[in-house]
Coordinates of all heavy atoms in Angstrom, one line a residue:
G185 N -0.2 -3.6 -12.5 CA 0.9 -4.4 -13.0 C 0.7 -5.8 -12.5 O 0.0 -6.1 -11.6
Y186 N 1.4 -6.7 -13.2 CA 1.3 -8.1 -12.9 C 2.7 -8.7 -12.5 O 3.7 -8.2 -13.0 CB 0.7 -8.9 -14.1 CG -0.8 -8.7 -14.3 CD1 -1.3 -7.5 -14.7 CD2 -1.7 -9.8 -14.0 CE1 -2.7 -7.4 -14.9 CE2 -3.0 -9.6 -14.1 CZ -3.5 -8.4 -14.6 OH -4.9 -8.3 -14.7
I187 N 2.7 -9.8 -11.7 CA 3.9 -10.5 -11.3 C 3.8 -11.9 -11.9 O 2.8 -12.6 -11.6 CB 4.0 -10.5 -9.8 CG1 4.0 -9.1 -9.2 CG2 5.2 -11.3 -9.4 CD1 3.7 -9.1 -7.7
R188 N 4.8 -12.3 -12.6 CA 4.8 -13.7 -13.1 C 5.5 -14.6 -12.1 O 6.7 -14.3 -11.7 CB 5.5 -13.8 -14.4 CG 5.5 -15.2 -15.0 CD 6.2 -15.2 -16.4 NE 6.3 -16.6 -16.9 CZ 7.0 -16.9 -18.0 NH1 7.7 -16.0 -18.6 NH2 7.0 -18.1 -18.4
L189 N 4.8 -15.6 -11.6 CA 5.4 -16.5 -10.6 C 6.4 -17.5 -11.2 O 6.2 -18.0 -12.3 CB 4.2 -17.3 -9.9 CG 3.0 -16.5 -9.4 CD1 2.1 -17.5 -8.7 CD2 3.5 -15.5 -8.4
G190 N 7.4 -17.7 -10.4 CA 8.4 -18.7 -10.8 C 8.4 -19.9 -9.8 O 7.3 -20.2 -9.2
K191 N 9.5 -20.6 -9.7 CA 9.5 -21.9 -8.9 C 9.4 -21.6 -7.4 O 9.8 -20.5 -6.9 CB 10.8 -22.6 -9.2 CG 10.9 -23.2 -10.6 CD 12.2 -24.0 -10.8 CE 12.2 -24.6 -12.2 NZ 13.5 -25.3 -12.4
R192 N 8.9 -22.5 -6.6 CA 8.9 -22.4 -5.2 C 10.3 -22.4 -4.6 O 11.2 -23.1 -5.1 CB 8.1 -23.6 -4.6 CG 6.6 -23.6 -4.9 CD 5.9 -24.7 -4.1 NE 4.5 -24.7 -4.5 CZ 3.6 -24.0 -3.9 NH1 3.9 -23.1 -3.0 NH2 2.3 -24.1 -4.3
L193 N 10.5 -21.6 -3.6 CA 11.8 -21.5 -3.0 C 12.0 -22.6 -1.9 O 13.1 -22.8 -1.5 CB 11.9 -20.1 -2.3 CG 12.1 -18.9 -3.3 CD1 12.0 -17.6 -2.5 CD2 13.4 -19.0 -4.1
R194 N 10.9 -23.1 -1.4 CA 10.9 -24.2 -0.4 C 11.7 -23.8 0.8 O 12.6 -24.5 1.3 CB 11.4 -25.5 -1.0 CG 10.7 -25.9 -2.3 CD 11.1 -27.3 -2.8 NE 10.4 -27.7 -4.0 CZ 9.1 -28.1 -4.0 NH1 8.4 -28.2 -2.9 NH2 8.6 -28.4 -5.2
L195 N 11.3 -22.6 1.4 CA 12.0 -22.2 2.6 C 11.2 -22.6 3.8 O 10.0 -22.5 3.8 CB 12.0 -20.6 2.5 CG 12.8 -20.0 1.4 CD1 12.8 -18.5 1.5 CD2 14.3 -20.4 1.4
Q196 N 11.9 -23.0 4.8 CA 11.3 -23.3 6.1 C 10.7 -22.1 6.7 O 11.3 -21.0 6.8 CB 12.4 -23.9 7.1 CG 11.8 -24.3 8.4 CD 10.8 -25.5 8.2 OE1 11.1 -26.4 7.6 NE2 9.7 -25.3 8.8
G197 N 9.4 -22.1 7.0 CA 8.7 -21.0 7.6 C 8.0 -20.1 6.5 O 7.3 -19.2 6.8
A198 N 8.3 -20.4 5.2 CA 7.7 -19.7 4.1 C 7.3 -20.6 3.0 O 7.9 -20.6 1.9 CB 8.6 -18.6 3.6
P199 N 6.4 -21.6 3.2 CA 6.1 -22.6 2.3 C 5.6 -22.2 0.9 O 5.6 -22.9 0.0 CB 5.1 -23.5 3.0 CG 4.4 -22.6 4.0 CD 5.5 -21.6 4.4
N200 N 5.0 -20.9 0.9 CA 4.4 -20.5 -0.3 C 5.2 -19.5 -1.1 O 4.8 -19.1 -2.2 CB 3.0 -19.8 0.0 CG 2.0 -20.7 0.7 OD1 1.7 -21.7 0.1 ND2 1.6 -20.4 1.9
A201 N 6.4 -19.2 -0.6 CA 7.3 -18.2 -1.3 C 7.8 -18.8 -2.6 O 8.2 -19.9 -2.7 CB 8.4 -17.8 -0.4
R202 N 7.8 -17.9 -3.6 CA 8.3 -18.4 -5.0 C 9.2 -17.3 -5.5 O 9.1 -16.1 -5.1 CB 7.1 -18.6 -5.9 CG 6.1 -19.6 -5.3 CD 4.9 -19.7 -6.2 NE 5.1 -20.4 -7.5 CZ 4.2 -21.0 -8.2 NH1 2.9 -21.1 -7.7 NH2 4.5 -21.5 -9.3
R203 N 10.0 -17.6 -6.5 CA 10.7 -16.6 -7.2 C 9.8 -15.8 -8.1 O 8.8 -16.3 -8.6 CB 11.8 -17.2 -8.0 CG 13.0 -17.8 -7.2 CD 14.2 -18.1 -8.1 NE 15.3 -18.7 -7.4 CZ 16.2 -18.0 -6.8 NH1 16.2 -16.7 -6.9 NH2 17.2 -18.7 -6.1
V204 N 10.2 -14.6 -8.4 CA 9.5 -13.8 -9.4 C 10.3 -13.9 -10.7 O 11.5 -13.6 -10.7 CB 9.4 -12.3 -8.9 CG1 9.0 -11.4 -10.1 CG2 8.5 -12.1 -7.7
V205 N 9.6 -14.3 -11.7 CA 10.2 -14.4 -13.0 C 10.4 -13.0 -13.7 O 11.4 -12.6 -14.2 CB 9.4 -15.3 -14.0 CG1 10.0 -15.3 -15.4 CG2 9.4 -16.7 -13.4
Q206 N 9.3 -12.2 -13.5 CA 9.2 -10.9 -14.2 C 8.1 -10.1 -13.7 O 7.0 -10.6 -13.3 CB 9.1 -11.2 -15.7 CG 9.3 -10.0 -16.6 CD 9.3 -10.3 -18.1 OE1 8.7 -11.3 -18.5 NE2 9.8 -9.5 -18.9
F207 N 8.3 -8.8 -13.7 CA 7.2 -7.8 -13.5 C 6.7 -7.4 -14.8 O 7.5 -7.1 -15.8 CB 7.7 -6.6 -12.7 CG 7.9 -6.8 -11.2 CD1 9.1 -7.3 -10.8 CD2 6.9 -6.6 -10.3 CE1 9.3 -7.6 -9.4 CE2 7.1 -6.8 -9.0 CZ 8.3 -7.3 -8.5

Side-chain angles (χ1 to χ4, degrees):
Y186 285 72
I187 302 163
R188 185 180 173 190
L189 306 182
K191 293 182 178 179
R192 293 187 182 275
L193 291 172
R194 303 189 184 283
L195 299 178
Q196 183 64 48
N200 298 301
R202 304 173 70 156
R203 287 191 184 274
V204 168
V205 174
Q206 192 176 18
F207 284 87

